[in-house]
Amino acid sequence: MSGDKKYSVVVVGLGKRGMHHAEAFANNGRFEIVGLCDIDKERLNAAANKFGGPKTATDAKALMQGLKPDVFCFCTMPTLRLEMIRMGVESGASLIAYEKPIAMTTNEALEVMKVVRDAGVKTVVSHQHRYGEHYQKVKEIISSGAIGRVHTVYGTATGWMMHMMTHLIEYIRWFNDNAEAEWVVGQAAGKEKFSDNHPSPDYVAGLIQFANGVRGIVESGDGAPDVPEVDYWWRKCRIGAQGTEGFAEVLTGGGWRAITKDSGGVISGPGCMDYAHDMPPYIQEIADWLDDPKKVHPCNGESAYKGFEIMMAICRSAVQRGKINLPLGPGEPELEALEKALPG
Ligand SMILES: NC(=O)c1ccc[n+]([C@@H]2O[C@H](COP(=O)([O-])OP(=O)(O)OC[C@H]3O[C@@H](n4cnc5c(N)ncnc54)[C@H](O)[C@@H]3O)[C@@H](O)[C@H]2O)c1
């Protein structure tokens, strides 16, 4: 398709992330916002004023009557996924852009993937931290071979699982060239956060065996290591790779650092997760993928599914004990099973 076609966009859910998305679509000449929706009228009106008065509704189904956007974007809480995916597919959209995590259970995620695959609809999931200059630098160092053969990739976040863990897994999979995961072992503790709008165990840890022999280690929540170099609590994430000749890691709120075979000591550089920096290229690559099917978006939904699957396998392991082999089939809803299984 030509590089100057304008793609029409509907954005549903105009909270923090919906507004980030709407802003980035509005600022990119390749897109035109044709519809906006939020159940909160004030938010909806404010957004409509800001983005040139497109069609609006407080009910997404009503909004979609007669609108056939190229891109259906929704940024609602994690409990609202499958219904929105179906709505996007039924609207005839070519691409659905949505927020992590992709579902609440494996059963739901399998259904989401079936619906979009059957319809041939592209999906993009907002694991956009990778656009940070510090994330890019770490990837570049690892890919250059400067830390030798990678044997371990790791990611930790003090933020809890349903907020943070698919981010961690997405980036360690990237640092490990998206190798397939074969099995995981997991453990979890604490039930306070099951009542949150991102229901999670308070702490969760997982070991991942990748098919290329690399070990993955992930931890999320209350008990994950602090990153004292970073002040902003949500950005206390440390994600990196160790190789035979060094290491390279990114601190979400505090730049990058590495030792490579030639660095003669620690080298480091700047970078801090910043929506204003990361959203424009994330949105541009949606246009690129729509223009050219070969330019698959780095945050494509198939990759997000792989990360979600690993996270759910870690939960299953904490419930069932032992190794959980991938790929996963349908099963008991993981969060409910975990809440039942964890002590007090
Ligand atoms: N990628 C990231 O860096 C990042 C950062 C923060 C949050 N998130 C994710 O983004 C998602 C949304 O988080 P948020 O912080 O923007 O939440 P938010 O509460 O600020 O926004 C959600 C919006 O959805 C609206 N909404 C709820 N039900 C609706 C419905 N049926 N129809 C239309 N609108 C509806 C709400 O009124 C609200 O305005 C979550 O899944 C969260 O995990 C991602």
Side-chain angles (χ1 to χ4, degrees):
M1 200 161 286
S2 101
D4 40 52
K5 174 177 160 55
K6 257 200 186 214
Y7 295 108
S8 55
V9 187
V10 161
V11 183
V12 178
L14 298 163
K16 170 175 146 172
R17 291 296 294 151
M19 290 302 280
H20 290 163
H21 279 78
E23 185 121 35
F25 280 122
N27 288 337
N28 185 314
R30 299 300 312 284
F31 296 97
E32 181 187 1
I33 297 176
V34 296
L36 291 170
C37 169
D38 199 291
I39 50 173
D40 181 321
K41 253 203 144 125
E42 243 172 72
R43 280 188 177 178
L44 178 61
N45 291 338
N49 287 338
K50 186 164 181 182
F51 300 117
K55 187 175 170 187
T56 60
T58 52
D59 175 61
K61 260 215 162 101
L63 175 73
M64 295 311 290
Q65 298 298 322
L67 275 188
K68 289 195 176 300
D70 299 307
V71 177
F72 181 78
C73 170
F74 67 95
C75 301
T76 51
M77 281 288 152
T79 45
L80 210 48
R81 293 287 184 269
L82 184 53
E83 183 189 334
M84 289 290 167
I85 290 283
R86 287 206 172 106
M87 203 181 295
V89 167
E90 280 159 19
S91 77
S94 303
L95 185 146
I96 300 177
Y98 67 116
E99 267 295 350
K100 40 57 59 177
I102 62 165
M104 296 293 287
T105 63
T106 296
N107 297 347
E108 185 187 15
L110 287 168
E111 190 59 25
V112 163
M113 297 311 291
K114 183 177 173 2
V115 169
V116 298
R117 284 172 188 155
D118 286 355
V121 172
K122 298 176 171 72
T123 56
V124 168
V125 178
S126 201
H127 292 115
Q128 83 291 354
H129 297 187
R130 69 160 70 212
Y131 292 97
E133 57 174 319
H134 47 337
Y135 279 77
Q136 295 283 333
K137 181 68 185 180
V138 167
K139 173 64 183 170
E140 183 192 309
I141 291 170
I142 296 167
S143 297
S144 74
I147 65 169
R149 178 183 60 81
V150 171
H151 50 70
T152 307
V153 289
Y154 54 90
T156 73
T158 52
W160 52 100
M161 186 182 86
M162 289 295 268
H163 271 292
M164 297 308 298
M165 204 166 199
T166 66
H167 276 298
L168 301 178
I169 298 171
E170 176 85 4
Y171 312 133
I172 66 167
R173 290 185 64 254
W174 179 40
F175 291 165
N176 189 29
D177 294 331
N178 297 319
E180 293 291 326
E182 290 182 335
W183 54 258
V184 310
V185 163
Q187 188 53 281
K191 307 216 285 193
E192 251 179 58
K193 290 287 184 241
F194 280 111
S195 57
D196 185 71
N197 58 18
H198 286 69
S200 310
D202 299 346
Y203 170 73
V204 63
L207 301 178
I208 306 155
Q209 175 68 16
F210 288 105
N212 60 357
V214 170
R215 165 68 68 247
I217 307 170
V218 283
E219 289 182 71
S220 177
D222 181 17
D226 185 22
V227 182
E229 301 89 332
V230 175
D231 292 331
Y232 188 56
W233 190 83
W234 282 108
R235 295 180 191 173
K236 287 177 176 289
C237 309
R238 198 161 60 83
I239 310 160
Q242 294 172 349
T244 49
E245 300 188 66
F247 82 98
E249 65 182 18
V250 59
L251 311 181
T252 299
W256 63 273
R257 62 191 169 208
I259 294 178
T260 71
K261 53 187 167 198
D262 302 319
S263 65
V266 178
I267 50 173
S268 61
C272 182
M273 200 282 276
D274 175 5
Y275 296 111
H277 175 277
D278 300 341
M279 287 307 288
Y282 174 75
I283 295 297
Q284 177 57 44
E285 291 198 277
I286 290 178
D288 296 344
W289 194 13
L290 287 167
D291 288 347
D292 180 353
K294 289 194 289 296
K295 292 190 177 160
V296 177
H297 199 289
C299 301
N300 64 84
E302 294 291 339
S303 176
Y305 178 76
K306 297 273 182 196
F308 182 82
E309 184 181 44
I310 290 170
M311 179 172 79
M312 288 292 115
I314 290 169
C315 294
R316 286 190 186 185
S317 173
V319 174
Q320 299 168 22
R321 306 181 189 179
K323 284 181 183 169
I324 300 291
N325 293 316
L326 274 64
L328 298 183
E332 194 179 359
E334 287 83 0
L335 294 171
E336 285 167 34
L338 193 49
E339 189 173 8
K340 262 189 263 159
L342 291 179

